[in-house]
Amino acid sequence: MPAVGVGCWGIGGPAENLGLPMGWSTGGSAAAAAAGLETAWQGGARLFDTADVYGLGRSERLLGELVARVPRDEIVLVSKVGYFAGTAQHGFDPRHMRRQLEQTLDNLRTDHVDVYFLHHSEFGAGDRWLEPAVEAMRAFTREGLIRAVGMRGPHRFARDRLTVAADQRGDKIARFRAVFDVVRPDVLAVRDHLLSPAARSEGIFAFAERHNVGVLINKPLAQGLLTGVYDPTALPLFGAGDHRARKRWFTPAAIEVINGGLKELHGVVGWNRKDLIRVALWACLGRYEQAAVLVGFTTPEQVAMNLSALGDPPHPELIAQARAIMGRVQSRLDEQGEVFLDETGGGA
């Protein structure tokens, strides 16, 4: 089976952290989560990605129920630390990191995590917690509690979008490179899909290749937007604790634009929903030899659809056509404004 893993953010259900909705109001069913995880395992998936902040531990605990039933040496577990600080001074206080890791291990019913990520790159004033956090990760590795260290690719800390005007934010590429030089991770987490700006994506994969690090590609289906499941005239209710309520791409106007592009794409790749999923996943899988793709879910039906859609790789010309079509869609979406509805505009 190609390197397709399962993202477990959605099954954490609704959640709030840092005063922001950071979960999925449609992912609250424990029974659906358990069935989806089992469907993924039976379908050949062996890589599962979660975090302490996904449902504030709920996602890890649900995944732990699967871990308890399968051979530990056949499953690859990924988790993250940093976004949930609780009562600690900072999410990257090493003492807090150790407590969180111990809880993660308990939740996952295991004695080690295969890849443990620094979930963001905000290390306090003057990067106070950067070196201590890196040393904590190295200590976890020496102790056998984790097998590899991960960090995020270029991104914005969640609260910065609310507190820092767009024209006052630093260069996130330069920031990423500076942190990378200190962390020296084994694996990067990168968001990539057919609506991602091509130049940005190509740059980070070239960087990963130069430094010989693995990449976990998340959101390859743009959180479902690339599958055509959203109807702009009948959107689901994004309840409390659902991050989609903040995002412009989940509004009727944006979905109408996206669906127009998907209609054009259907004419190129085929008219079944699986055809869209197949080209979207392979567009990511073909990015980099050392990459794996993480596909999220809230229902077992989504898992079955995603895994069964893979098939053989599409012809490169077909993927190029898909990128061109959805690249035009991405440009039209940018014209509508910032992705986050409550984002500080500043002078932008």
Side-chain angles (χ1 to χ4, degrees), residues 121 151-157 161 169-179 191 197 200:
S121 295
M151 68 169 279
R152 293 277 291 272
H155 71 289
R156 302 284 182 200
F157 182 63
R161 296 182 180 277
R169 297 172 194 155
D171 182 337
K172 65 181 180 181
I173 304 295
R175 173 63 179 168
F176 161 75
R177 289 175 180 269
V179 174
R191 181 187 66 199
R200 183 190 69 191

Side-chain angles (χ1 to χ4, degrees), residues 32-56:
L37 291 169
E38 183 64 26
T39 298
W41 178 264
Q42 294 300 330
R46 293 295 182 266
L47 170 64
F48 294 81
D49 174 271
T50 184
D52 62 352
V53 77
Y54 295 169
L56 306 181

Side-chain angles (χ1 to χ4, degrees), residues 119-182:
H119 206 168
H120 60 78
S121 295
E122 195 287 302
F123 294 94
D127 280 343
R128 171 185 175 183
W129 299 104
L130 176 54
E131 290 282 2
V134 172
E135 178 49 42
M137 296 293 259
R138 291 171 180 158
F140 300 156
T141 304
R142 290 192 299 269
E143 295 168 32
L145 300 175
I146 67 176
R147 300 290 171 83
V149 175
M151 68 169 279
R152 293 277 291 272
H155 71 289
R156 302 284 182 200
F157 182 63
R159 284 198 58 80
D160 284 354
R161 296 182 180 277
L162 296 179
T163 60
V164 182
D167 62 344
Q168 299 298 312
R169 297 172 194 155
D171 182 337
K172 65 181 180 181
I173 304 295
R175 173 63 179 168
F176 161 75
R177 289 175 180 269
V179 174
F180 181 93
D181 286 342
V182 178

